[in-house]
Amino acid sequence: MASITFKENPVTLLGNEVKEGDKAPDFTVLANDLSEVNLDDYEGNVKLISVVPSLDTGVCDAQTKRFNEEVTKLDNVKVLTISMDLPFAQKRWCGAAGVENVDTLSDHRDASFGEAYGVLIQEMRLLARAVFVVDSNNNVTYVEYVSEATNHPDYESAITAAEKAQ
């Protein structure tokens, strides 16, 4: 299992670690309008799944804005930003930040995504920072569990992986 720290303190991740080559686990999260969303809703697209603890923090804000900009240069790639933030807060944040190219999705209801991808932090009921790229056939082609939750992910590697997954 991935070893993660939050502000340099070790945390316990619940769920199953996902590895490159795995079939992407399904999940159910909530869109900003409270409708249920799962992996099949993005069938036929490459998915760059950006996982953040909360959009209301500096690194999460920057991460989501960066992928919002980068996705405009990519064909057939959907960026999903998943956090434990409430759907209402995600919608408000997107409006204030001008983020229009990313689907913000909430795992707050039952932590379905967090457990399926091994990013649910037991001590805080937040999601650990991670990036997954899933190709159009739902195969995982890239995984990064960011070892310190307050650090940025490797943006360039994730974007390159999304380009190659086409």
Side-chain angles (χ1 to χ4, degrees), residues 23-24 26-27 37-49 76-80 103 105 134-139 165:
K23 197 70 167 170
D26 198 11
F27 54 86
V37 175
N38 60 45
L39 192 61
D40 289 340
D41 291 319
Y42 297 94
E43 185 177 350
N45 294 106
V46 172
K47 282 80 58 188
L48 190 156
I49 304 173
N76 196 39
V77 176
K78 294 286 187 180
V79 175
L80 318 178
D103 288 356
L105 303 167
V134 177
D135 70 15
S136 58
N137 295 313
N138 289 340
N139 297 306

Side-chain angles (χ1 to χ4, degrees), residues 15-112:
N16 302 308
E17 183 175 7
V18 174
K19 295 184 171 84
E20 290 177 20
D22 286 354
K23 197 70 167 170
D26 198 11
F27 54 86
T28 301
V29 291
L30 297 177
N32 294 170
D33 65 1
L34 299 179
S35 63
E36 289 188 349
V37 175
N38 60 45
L39 192 61
D40 289 340
D41 291 319
Y42 297 94
E43 185 177 350
N45 294 106
V46 172
K47 282 80 58 188
L48 190 156
I49 304 173
S50 173
V51 187
V52 299
S54 176
L55 291 169
D56 287 321
T57 64
V59 176
C60 301
D61 176 280
Q63 179 174 332
T64 305
K65 287 177 180 174
R66 173 78 184 266
F67 286 131
N68 181 65
E69 292 170 18
E70 296 290 346
V71 73
T72 63
K73 304 170 193 168
L74 303 172
D75 292 327
N76 196 39
V77 176
K78 294 286 187 180
V79 175
L80 318 178
T81 293
I82 303 178
S83 71
M84 284 294 203
D85 296 308
L86 293 174
F88 314 110
Q90 291 178 334
K91 183 176 182 178
R92 184 181 64 247
W93 180 90
C94 286
V99 169
E100 299 175 347
N101 304 314
V102 169
D103 288 356
T104 53
L105 303 167
S106 176
D107 200 25
H108 90 280
R109 188 173 64 187
D110 59 13
S112 169

